[in-house]
């Protein structure tokens, strides 16, 4: 069945360092890959997404890369700040069957130490 | 411009009871999806509705049902509640419900506790 694996489950970095979170998906038909940030007790917030027609996308300190051959995608956060501390979820979706069904990874708890 | 709204914010029920959760999508959005997020895990897809029709269903028992109204708001119903139904229930909306072409936005969720 469809599955998204996410690593690591926890990540602790020093303020100013970079953080990388990796996800692997099983459904080769997946073509949309969003990343969500969820702070404690709050809703998931979309921070960046990538579609299968590109290999990389960047938005200020955040970037996502996609390797369709290997079926994995990664989130890169540079110059981390304490407010980046949260749980990050990757997800994958395909719309071949015209549905918007996101399959989420299990999450990465990022802690940025001041 | 209001985002996705959900009610109630919190709910406590006992085993065997029934619950109804409500969601209002962003204005102009026609697609609503429901997710269950158990503590410490990623959200799991339950249903998607578009133009009042079910467009997708996740791997949940028949105790879970949903519907969408002409104004695109939606309700999620869960019957015969089990302890394992305790979770944060998230609603998400998008314009037309096609992942490749648009973004999906989440509501704040309803936290359900089953005792």
């Amino acid at each position: 069945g469809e599955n998204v694996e996410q690593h690591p489950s926890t990540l602790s970095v020093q303020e100013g360092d970079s953080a990388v979170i990796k996800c692997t998906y099983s459904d080769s038909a997946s073509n949309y890959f969003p990343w969500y940030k969820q702070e404690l007790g709050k809703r998931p917030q979309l921070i960046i997404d990538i579609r299968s027609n590109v290999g990389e996308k960047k938005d200020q300190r955040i970037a996502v890369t996609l390797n369709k051959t290997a079926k994995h995608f990664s989130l890169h956060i540079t110059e981390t700040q304490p407010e980046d501390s949260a749980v990050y979820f990757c997800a994958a979706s395909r719309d071949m069957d015209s549905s918007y069904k996101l399959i989420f990874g299990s999450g990465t708890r990022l802690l940025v130490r001041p | 411009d209001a985002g996705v709204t959900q009610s109630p914010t919190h709910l406590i029920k006992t085993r065997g009871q029934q619950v109804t959760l409500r969601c209002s999508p962003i204005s102009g959005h026609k697609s609503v999806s429901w997710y269950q997020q158990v503590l410490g895990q990623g959200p799991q897809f339950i249903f998607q509705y578009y133009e009042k029709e079910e467009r997708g269903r996740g791997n949940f028992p028949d105790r879970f049902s949903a519907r969408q109204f002409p104004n695109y708001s939606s309700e999620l119903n869960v019957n015969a509640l089990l302890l394992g139904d305790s979770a944060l229930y998230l609603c998400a909306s998008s314009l037309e419900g096609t992942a490749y072409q648009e973004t999906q936005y989440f509501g704040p969720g309803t936290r359900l506790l089953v005792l």
Side-chain angles (χ1 to χ4, degrees):
Chain A
E2 303 149 324
N3 186 48
V4 175
E5 293 189 0
Q6 183 172 347
H7 300 281
S9 57
T10 59
L11 180 59
S12 180
V13 300
Q14 195 69 39
E15 182 178 358
D17 288 349
S18 295
V20 180
I21 303 171
K22 299 181 179 180
C23 290
T24 303
Y25 59 97
S26 61
D27 185 356
S28 57
S30 296
N31 55 9
Y32 174 63
F33 307 91
W35 285 87
Y36 287 87
K37 175 184 180 183
Q38 189 173 32
E39 297 177 42
L40 191 63
K42 296 191 176 181
R43 74 186 77 192
Q45 297 265 23
L46 180 74
I47 55 172
I48 196 167
D49 57 11
I50 191 168
R51 290 169 172 85
S52 58
N53 59 341
V54 297
E56 185 173 358
K57 184 177 179 181
K58 190 173 181 180
D59 183 4
Q60 298 182 352
R61 298 185 296 109
I62 295 174
V64 58
T65 59
L66 171 65
N67 183 326
K68 288 188 291 183
T69 304
K71 292 193 286 186
H72 67 70
F73 56 114
S74 300
L75 177 71
H76 305 253
I77 306 174
T78 59
E79 301 172 15
T80 54
Q81 302 166 2
E83 50 265 39
D84 294 330
S85 296
V87 179
Y88 291 80
F89 291 98
C90 63
S93 178
R94 60 171 181 154
D95 62 356
M96 288 176 61
D97 52 357
S98 298
S99 70
Y100 202 142
K101 176 182 178 181
L102 290 175
I103 306 298
F104 281 84
S106 53
T108 296
R109 184 172 300 278
L110 174 64
L111 174 64
V112 180
R113 306 186 306 274
Chain B
D1 191 17
V4 179
T5 60
Q6 292 186 244
S7 63
T9 55
H10 295 83
L11 205 51
I12 299 176
K13 292 286 188 179
T14 57
R15 281 178 296 174
Q17 286 189 311
Q18 175 263 343
V19 68
T20 298
L21 312 180
R22 296 175 177 82
C23 170
S24 291
I26 292 171
S27 178
H29 285 195
K30 300 177 183 177
S31 171
V32 169
S33 297
W34 287 95
Y35 292 82
Q36 180 197 64
Q37 186 177 23
V38 173
L39 195 62
Q41 297 181 19
Q44 278 202 296
F45 175 80
I46 309 175
F47 287 111
Q48 184 202 0
Y49 275 77
Y50 174 72
E51 290 280 16
K52 297 178 289 180
E53 298 289 327
E54 181 183 302
R55 192 182 254 182
R57 173 185 284 255
N59 189 24
F60 280 80
D62 292 343
R63 300 185 295 107
F64 288 77
S65 64
R67 56 179 175 167
Q68 187 177 32
F69 300 98
N71 66 353
Y72 304 113
S73 66
S74 177
E75 286 183 352
L76 175 70
N77 295 286
V78 187
N79 294 323
L81 285 167
L82 304 174
L83 296 180
D85 295 331
S86 296
L88 179 67
Y89 287 85
L90 294 162
C91 172
S93 78
S94 64
L95 275 168
E96 302 285 339
T98 52
Y100 190 75
Q101 297 160 20
E102 56 192 49
T103 298
Q104 190 175 76
Y105 298 91
F106 282 88
T110 293
R111 190 162 297 281
L112 172 66
L113 178 60
V114 182
L115 301 176

